[in-house]
Amino acid sequence: NAATTVSWAVHGVLTDTPQMQVPNLIGAVVAVGIVLFVCRDRRQPFLAQLVLPLLVAVALSSVDIFLGAVAFGLIVAVPQLIGQFAQTRDLLFEPDLTGVSVVFLLVFCLIQTMWWIFGVVQLDWALIICAGLMVLSTVANVVIYAIRRMRAARSAAAVALAR
């Protein structure tokens, strides 16, 4: 998370987009703070835990600088999509969805949609590609969740009628 937020902040610098710079810098600071607290709790060296995210951020930013916005948008979407697909798998196969927050699903979908619209308005291909893929995956998760909830409600109603 820290790596992608830093790389998006760098992308915001490259595109002269403060709307992308500020929230991503804040996100990176928060992520580093979380790493600090976890390292203190586990009594692990703090700086050693920042090496990999820093290297990934440099690699992602290098893709943006040397290969362009389209390549960056495709590559930076990968870790986010992995998380989304893990959630899709759980939504499809977990027997109980009571721990899933529909509010989170909807808010996350709204935020990704807003970033996609911003990308379209700014003609920022990295944002259009990454946020567009995220919108598609979040909409799929919302639809799967809704279908599973409707089926569960119908099953509960059928059981109640059978009693």
Side-chain angles (χ1 to χ4, degrees), residues 52-146:
L52 183 59
L54 184 59
L55 290 174
V56 172
V58 168
L60 288 170
S61 296
S62 296
V63 167
D64 197 9
I65 292 166
F66 296 111
L67 298 178
V70 170
F72 174 71
L74 288 168
I75 292 172
V76 78
V78 170
Q80 296 171 334
L81 288 172
I82 289 170
Q84 284 297 110
F85 291 143
Q87 186 171 42
T88 303
R89 183 195 63 227
D90 289 347
L91 288 169
L92 286 170
F93 300 113
E94 286 296 320
D96 184 15
L97 297 182
T98 55
V100 177
S101 168
V102 69
V103 173
F104 174 81
L105 288 174
L106 293 171
V107 168
F108 192 70
C109 188
L110 174 67
I111 290 168
Q112 293 303 318
T113 302
M114 290 168 61
W115 275 117
W116 180 79
I117 291 168
F118 182 75
V120 169
V121 170
Q122 293 290 319
L123 197 57
D124 182 337
W125 284 104
L127 201 49
I128 292 168
I129 290 167
C130 183
L133 291 169
M134 293 301 293
V135 167
L136 293 174
S137 65
T138 57
V139 166
N141 284 344
V142 168
V143 168
I144 293 166
Y145 177 85

